[in-house]
């Protein structure tokens, strides 16, 4: 039973989400402020965290920043509808995905399952996750969710790892944003969704540059991204 931690100061919403998620097979704990939520991340060891951006005191962005120094647990942000700034900032700080409020419990449950599926690396009928993937100086161990470049570990979030794995399996080929979203995020790419671009930017920063100063992940205009074979 997946363990979900909800962090939101809206008690009515918390009760609604708790009741639905428990009925849908999740084990749910909740915190109504950021400080309590941070303690619960360490004490309850949840499988995934749902974190609201707008909270009094320590806000969701501050909580996310501290979570990322404490734990690699996947985090789904609840953002204001239409607020691209919060969404992009959350992704840049290490959130795995976001859902705009107001959201339906059913949509939230579907997003949680998609994130958990990729973070826990559910076995694929087409791919043997036990076999390392090597592309030049890059090596991925899908079953361990571990990545190295030139012998140095890459501190990737779960979502960043999933997207890099898709690119690595198609190294030298152009991978569309739609394919990256479906295979890496577990959902279709919606219109005006910049999640892929933000996550790829994060991977690039952690990846470093090639000897000629270019990025190993090239942008193919109006098509997608390509992992260059070093």
């Amino acid at each position: 039973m997946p363990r979900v931690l909800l962090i939101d100061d809206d008690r009515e919403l918390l009760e609604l989400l708790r009741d639905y998620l428990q009925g849908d097979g999740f084990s749910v704990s909740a915190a109504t402020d950021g400080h309590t939520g941070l303690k619960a991340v360490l004490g309850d060891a949840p499988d995934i965290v749902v974190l609201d951006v707008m909270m009094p005191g320590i806000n969701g962005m501050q909580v996310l920043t501290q979570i990322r120094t404490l734990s690699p647990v996947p985090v789904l942000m609840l953002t204001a509808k239409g607020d691209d700034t919060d969404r992009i900032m959350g992704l840049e700080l290490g959130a795995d995905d976001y859902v705009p409020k107001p959201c339906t419990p059913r949509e939230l449950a579907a997003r949680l399952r998609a994130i958990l599926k990729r973070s826990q690396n559910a076995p694929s009928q087409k791919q043997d996750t036990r076999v390392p993937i090597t592309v030049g100086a890059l090596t991925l161990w899908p079953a361990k969710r571990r990545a190295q470049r030139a012998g140095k570990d890459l501190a990737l979030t779960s979502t960043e790892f999933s997207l890099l794995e898709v690119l690595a399996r198609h190294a030298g080929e152009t991978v569309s944003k739609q394919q990256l979203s479906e295979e890496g995020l577990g959902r279709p790419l919606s219109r005006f969704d910049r999640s892929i671009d933000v996550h790829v930017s994060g991977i690039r920063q952690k990846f470093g540059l090639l000897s000629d100063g270019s990025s190993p992940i090239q942008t193919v205009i109006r098509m997608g991204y390509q992992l260059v074979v070093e």
Side-chain angles (χ1 to χ4, degrees), residues 71-93:
S71 169
V73 62
V75 176
L76 183 146
M77 301 290 291
L78 295 178
T79 65
K81 188 174 183 178
D83 193 336
D84 289 337
T85 301
D86 279 348
R87 296 175 186 178
I88 293 171
M89 183 179 297
L91 295 173
E92 289 176 339
L93 291 175

Side-chain angles (χ1 to χ4, degrees), residues 1-19:
M1 184 177 292
R3 300 183 305 278
V4 181
L5 170 63
L6 306 175
I7 307 177
D8 196 318
D9 65 319
D10 187 334
R11 296 177 183 271
E12 185 175 344
L13 177 62
L14 281 182
E15 288 302 314
L16 173 66
L17 296 179
R18 187 206 298 267
D19 290 345

